[in-house]
Amino acid sequence: MGTLGEYAAFDRSNRPKGAHVIVCGNEKGGSGKTTTSMHVIVFLLKAGFKVASIDLDTRQKSLTRYIQNRRNWAQTNQLKLELPNHFRFDLARVDSTIEAQSQDFSSFERAISEVQHSHDFVVIDTPGSDNYLGRLSHSMADTLITPMNDSFIDFDVLGRVDPKSLEIAGVSHYAVMVRESRRQRRQADNGLLDWIVVRNRMSTLNSRNQQNLLGCVKELSMRLGFRIADGISERVIFREYFPMGLTALDDVEDAAVGGRSSVSHLSARQEIRKLIRALRLPVDEKGIKRAQARVTWLENSNNPVEMPDIFAD
Ligand SMILES: Nc1ncnc2c1ncn2[C@@H]1O[C@H](COP(=O)(O)OP(=O)(O)OP(=O)(O)O)[C@@H](O)[C@H]1O
Ligand SMILES: [Mg+2]
């Protein structure tokens, strides 16, 4: 499959047919993509969905490490922790750039085709820089989550602001890329990309800067067609569990982390649930029933049960 030059011709109709594709993307590094990916993955797994995850950050591989840590933690402590079916990417190591890109496209395509009929959700974490696989994944997304720190520096990859009037002076490179991905997606299968900008690391102090920034995000949302979600506050809990591969959604009482669920833990969990509701993912009652039926069916696969509602309509 294609080289960079053939990128535009990549067959997006190969995107997962059954699975809902969620991409966490923002070209600004450190905005919370991996943290958000992991919480969304664990939420969906706990709700009984079958989830595949893809780490396109070939340098840092933080999502891969998070999931490895979770697997190790579960094994060491004999815990049953939910895990996604995970794919990580190592960029092809060949001299020719064209050949390398061609191999990378093929690997991505293989991962996608492996999960397309067998999973409810595919969650893709992307790097904090522009690359062709990141762009391709954006054009396959049903839901794009863009976490953004509450700062004008982070806003700058979406839009430029007039310093005096604080009016939007222009659209920036990441937003232009998303606009193009949307167009390609519509052309490929008439699919619509639901784009949600999630405010991350929000401070509890209501500053004037925060109000000004929110005003700009709102104005830009109308221009670019994204929704805004009040995301997650700045909390230690969103980073301290990384070495164990845990999240705010996991119970920590039995998890040998030596703690009880603190008020902060429970508040963090509430925030994540609120965020998931704001994402409006297809996690309605019917979807959950179907996913649970599939789990039961798999567990009893030697002893088949009658479950007519296992597969999507
Ligand atoms: N709400 C939060 N509260 C506290 N710390 C946070 C929060 N969100 C993210 N962090 C921390 O901020 C840093 C960056 O987060 P993360 O790695 O999720 O961002 P990223 O967008 O994936 O970064 P990159 O672009 O480098 O891949 C990490 O140290 C993470 O633990
Ligand atoms: Mg990351």
Side-chain angles (χ1 to χ4, degrees), residues 1-3 5-15 101-102 104-106 108-110 112 133 136-137 139-140 184 188:
M1 186 39 75
T3 65
E6 290 170 72
Y7 165 76
F10 190 90
D11 185 3
R12 283 165 187 79
S13 60
N14 280 343
R15 57 179 298 286
Q101 286 169 359
S102 170
D104 294 338
F105 273 134
S106 300
F108 186 68
E109 205 181 29
R110 254 198 318 278
I112 290 288
L133 284 182
L136 179 60
S137 67
S139 64
M140 290 185 163
Q184 286 169 340

Side-chain angles (χ1 to χ4, degrees), residues 29-35 57 60 200-201 233 235 238-239:
S31 55
K33 297 177 288 293
T34 304
T35 307
D57 190 344
Q60 301 192 90
N200 187 21
R201 305 187 84 158
S233 317
R235 289 180 194 275
F238 287 128
R239 46 189 139 97

Side-chain angles (χ1 to χ4, degrees), residues 26-37 57 60 62 125-129 147 149 200-202 232-240 242 271:
N26 186 345
E27 275 173 32
K28 185 87 183 79
S31 55
K33 297 177 288 293
T34 304
T35 307
T36 308
S37 299
D57 190 344
Q60 301 192 90
S62 306
D125 188 22
T126 62
S129 58
N149 290 317
N200 187 21
R201 305 187 84 158
M202 283 168 19
I232 44 184
S233 317
E234 168 73 35
R235 289 180 194 275
V236 174
I237 194 158
F238 287 128
R239 46 189 139 97
E240 68 179 342
F242 175 81
E271 272 184 356

